[in-house]
Amino acid sequence: MSKKLYISTYGCQMNVYDSARMADLMAPLGYTLTDKPADADMAILNTCHIREKASEKTFSELGRLRNMRQDKKAKQDGDMIIAVAGCVAQAEGAEIMKRAPYVDMVFGPQSYHHLPQMVAQATRGVGHILETDFPVEPKFDHLPEDAIDKNLSAFLTVQEGCDKFCAFCVVPYTRGAEFSRPVASIVDEAKRMIASGTKEITLLGQNVNAYHGEGADGKPASLATLIQKLAEIDGLHRLRYTTSHPLEMTEDLCRAHRDVEILMPYLHLPVQAGSDRILAAMNRRHTSDEYRRIIDKLRHYRPDLALSGDFIVGFPGETEQEFEDTLQLVRDVEYAQAYSFKYSPRPGTPAAALGDEMVEETVKSERLARLQQLLNEQQLAYNRSFVGKEIDVLLEREGKREGQLVGRSPYMQSVFVPSPAHRIGRIATVIVQEGNANSLRGELKPGSVADAA
Ligand code: 5AD
Ligand code: SF4
């Protein structure tokens, strides 16, 4: 009999990828996905430690699941296995077991390949299961062959962990040290994805450009080398990678943006702040001018490169002038899109010891609003600059309106076009008619997609 699995996913694309792999691992045990937690025979919270008040939010969601489980039992409608996965599990596993003893299993991002065994144990009532070690045997070797992302535009994890230790960030503690998969196993996975219909692959890693997996000659290969290898696979139309750190935007990687045709002209390259003093306090290990020079180099090789970034305002001690330096950097770079956050302390990180009271909450909010206004203006101007132009769009799915499809441009914009659904999966040329804050609208160029099956 089919059982129902509910997975609630927070945070980054790595978690989205991990959740999909967990669903793949559970399928052979008879579990199909549901989006209704109340119906679930098993519920997994795949948590993110980067979000604010991460552990409190986890506990309150766990409380809701416990109530649903009690309702199920009261109605004699079976039971529910409750699991916590992801970075909060990694960081606070023991605490979760203590405060929420009804939780059956807690496991970190490096352990989910043991899920079938853990579920078997939980069903046998073996007691609580806590797996938050960083196992020596990499989990990727244990994923079933068909545990792959089968979407048209799909994710492929090539690297995990981070050795950078930015002062505000929990990732080095929750995801552990940098680890890269060997080139051959990534190429294998990519081939299987392409055979199942994937046209666009985004290579994932917390620090993806620190990639140094084993190459064909047994020596570490760079991300640029990996990209070149993947670009040789027939049937792959588009490649992207995320997230990168400025320190590892090496010459060969920058040049790949010129030389590798299927590498899309879009790069998410967080800088966090524009003041050199704040960058040093954040332990980013580069100055704002060094970042500017990297952008210049990238644009030299790929003039139409669309840039995205992450920003934090109100880092402890940030002055008005230092915040202005961030605005100036944004004006200099001109982003196609970006993410921005108010600083908030994460337990256990070096910045948390600096005290959060150094920049008042109202000042943080006001700075965030000013930064976001500038970023939004840039994004709108960027999108409007496409009006009248032709761009290639991978048509991925139906849009909100009847008879409409939506896909991504090479520059990562969502593009809406009127089109029958059978064109999903095609890369079509679109004439852009409208550039909005978050998307483009246009129409298919006549004759740009062959309709033959
Ligand atoms: N406070 C605010 N933003 C943070 N980020 C990471 N840690 C914090 C924090 N303590 C942001 C950074 C990072 C993005 C994923 O989340 O900008 O690049
Ligand atoms: Fe966190 Fe910095 Fe590593 Fe990014 S590079 S994951 S912000 S420590």
Side-chain angles (χ1 to χ4, degrees):
M1 210 182 71
S2 152
K3 297 193 197 110
K4 296 263 184 296
L5 172 66
Y6 170 76
I7 308 183
S8 170
T9 309
Y10 295 93
C12 63
Q13 296 300 349
M14 308 274 300
N15 270 11
V16 176
Y17 177 92
D18 289 351
S19 289
R21 300 293 76 70
M22 289 190 238
D24 289 337
L25 282 163
M26 295 293 290
L29 305 185
Y31 282 85
T32 52
L33 281 176
T34 176
D35 52 10
K36 296 190 197 74
D39 295 347
D41 300 284
M42 172 161 186
I44 305 177
L45 298 186
N46 194 4
T47 58
C48 167
H49 210 262
I50 281 194
R51 59 182 196 147
E52 220 181 329
K53 305 201 175 83
S55 56
E56 281 155 61
K57 286 176 185 161
T58 303
F59 282 113
S60 73
E61 229 193 311
L62 281 174
R64 280 196 293 277
L65 286 177
R66 180 182 55 178
N67 293 343
M68 290 178 199
R69 179 187 206 166
Q70 283 165 347
D71 283 351
K72 272 191 96 175
K73 281 182 165 171
K75 284 192 255 157
Q76 298 196 323
D77 186 20
D79 199 351
M80 184 194 290
I81 300 174
I82 300 181
V84 187
C87 293
V88 175
Q90 185 65 45
E92 300 179 40
E95 177 71 12
I96 294 171
M97 286 300 193
K98 212 166 79 202
R99 267 182 65 184
Y102 50 89
V103 168
D104 299 283
M105 60 182 83
V106 177
F107 52 94
Q110 304 308 330
S111 307
Y112 66 74
H113 57 296
H114 295 152
L115 200 48
Q117 293 101 292
M118 294 191 274
V119 171
Q121 285 176 329
T123 335
R124 273 188 274 119
V126 172
H128 298 314
I129 299 154
L130 177 65
E131 283 221 28
T132 48
D133 293 341
F134 289 106
V136 194
E137 22 114 41
K139 70 175 169 214
F140 297 105
D141 297 348
H142 294 266
L143 291 177
E145 287 259 305
D146 58 351
I148 53 165
D149 191 340
K150 299 184 186 71
N151 289 315
L152 273 170
S153 174
F155 295 111
L156 202 176
T157 296
V158 304
Q159 182 277 343
E160 281 197 61
C162 179
D163 297 340
K164 296 288 182 298
F165 292 93
C166 298
F168 51 81
C169 183
V170 289
V171 167
Y173 310 97
T174 56
R175 287 272 173 170
E178 285 172 7
F179 165 81
S180 302
R181 297 174 65 185
V183 172
S185 101
I186 296 166
V187 169
D188 255 22
E189 183 165 338
K191 284 184 178 161
R192 278 185 274 126
M193 292 161 80
I194 295 161
S196 78
T198 294
K199 299 224 161 131
E200 173 177 280
I201 293 181
T202 301
L203 307 177
L204 287 182
Q206 255 96 32
N207 233 290
V208 73
N209 59 340
Y211 175 83
H212 58 271
E214 187 187 322
D217 55 3
K219 298 198 188 108
S222 68
L223 183 63
T225 305
L226 175 67
I227 286 171
Q228 275 145 10
K229 280 267 167 286
L230 292 168
E232 289 166 11
I233 306 176
D234 261 358
L236 183 60
H237 295 261
R238 291 175 158 197
L239 252 183
R240 305 179 188 274
Y241 60 95
T242 199
T243 289
S244 301
H245 189 289
L247 274 188
E248 273 126 354
M249 281 319 298
T250 49
E251 183 68 28
D252 63 342
L253 185 54
C254 293
R255 241 186 285 130
H257 281 277
R258 175 193 66 190
D259 298 337
V260 180
E261 209 185 322
I262 66 164
L263 186 59
M264 291 291 104
Y266 169 88
L267 180 64
H268 181 61
L269 192 63
V271 62
Q272 315 294 357
S275 138
D276 289 345
R277 192 190 74 84
I278 294 293
L279 285 169
M282 287 177 163
N283 192 32
R284 292 288 294 177
R285 297 192 268 162
H286 62 79
T287 64
S288 65
D289 275 349
E290 280 162 352
Y291 182 83
R292 285 182 179 87
R293 281 200 291 276
I294 294 164
I295 302 295
D296 290 345
K297 186 157 69 175
L298 281 159
R299 284 188 166 145
H300 165 75
Y301 287 128
R302 184 77 210 213
D304 63 337
L305 187 75
L307 281 157
S308 162
D310 288 345
F311 297 90
I312 295 177
V313 302
F315 188 79
E318 182 189 67
T319 65
E320 176 61 23
Q321 181 53 51
E322 286 165 342
F323 169 66
E324 294 276 347
D325 292 344
T326 298
L327 293 180
Q328 190 53 48
L329 181 66
V330 171
R331 282 186 212 107
D332 292 346
V333 172
E334 294 192 25
Y335 288 89
Q337 67 142 74
Y339 305 91
S340 44
F341 312 91
K342 282 194 269 191
Y343 170 78
S344 74
R346 300 291 183 268
T349 57
L354 298 173
D356 188 29
E357 61 293 338
M358 297 167 80
V359 180
E360 285 203 31
E361 199 53 35
T362 50
V363 174
K364 278 188 200 168
S365 300
E366 179 256 348
R367 285 181 189 167
L368 186 67
R370 280 159 68 199
L371 174 62
Q372 288 186 338
Q373 184 179 347
L374 176 59
L375 289 167
N376 290 342
E377 281 166 17
Q378 289 191 345
Q379 185 168 342
L380 182 61
Y382 182 73
N383 287 344
R384 284 191 175 154
S385 75
F386 283 83
V387 174
K389 291 190 185 156
E390 294 180 4
I391 46 170
D392 285 342
V393 176
L394 171 58
L395 300 170
E396 275 178 58
R397 55 195 157 81
E398 292 185 31
K400 276 184 219 111
R401 293 197 204 145
E402 181 89 20
Q404 186 189 53
L405 296 185
V406 58
R408 296 261 181 198
S409 77
Y411 310 98
M412 222 34 202
Q413 297 133 311
S414 292
V415 186
F416 291 88
V417 284
S419 168
H422 70 261
R423 292 197 179 116
I424 288 176
R426 306 294 173 91
I427 295 180
T429 306
V430 170
I431 305 167
V432 180
Q433 294 165 320
E434 208 177 287
N436 300 314
N438 292 308
S439 62
L440 304 178
R441 260 187 359 90
E443 61 181 23
L444 294 182
K445 188 178 174 182
S448 82
V449 258
D451 272 335

